[in-house]
Amino acid sequence: MTATWRTSSGSGTGQAVRLTSDTGYFTFFSASNVEAVVKVLNACGLNLKYWVFAGGLTNVNVVITIRDTKDGTTKTSTNPIDTAIQPIQDTSAFATCPSSGSAGRSAYETRDGFVVAVRFDARDIAVSGARHECKP
């Protein structure tokens, strides 16, 4: 997952920070200034999907890109400059849960039906240890 930002006077890449096992945030201008929060949930047991929720605390141009590590599918959300970030509540973001009886890998790294890593930026910072059981 990555976040890039742009203002009328500059641009850059957000710095990803792990908050919990399935949630992180991005800073843009300084490490003490949170700009966007993102959560990726394994909802395989509910609707065979991975869910993505995000919100922002800024009005700069922000592009959040999330890549499914199983099939390479990406989801991108773009916020225009001078506009408050609208929340993302995507309960069908990625449809890469194992099918019934499948022992294959899920969209995010899993072990024994549990999410153990969600990639949080281009440097592969892992958000590890989520305990959301994936039961189709």
Side-chain angles (χ1 to χ4, degrees), residues 33-61:
N33 189 9
V34 175
E35 300 288 348
V37 179
V38 182
K39 174 169 55 174
V40 178
L41 295 174
N42 176 335
C44 294
L46 297 173
N47 71 341
L48 296 176
K49 312 279 188 202
Y50 286 84
W51 298 357
V52 174
F53 295 92
L57 306 168
T58 187
N59 68 343
V60 303
N61 170 236

Side-chain angles (χ1 to χ4, degrees), residues 11 14 16 22 35 62 73 79 87 99 103 118 127 130 132 135:
S11 62
D22 54 13
E35 300 288 348
V62 177
T73 302
N79 186 73
S99 60
V118 176
V127 177
H132 302 286
K135 290 184 179 177

Side-chain angles (χ1 to χ4, degrees), residues 4-5 8-9 11 24 41 56 61 67 71 86 102 109 112 125:
T4 58
W5 59 270
S8 58
S9 60
S11 62
L41 295 174
N61 170 236
R67 185 178 64 85
D71 67 6
Q86 295 300 303
S102 170
E109 186 179 335
D112 298 324
I125 295 174

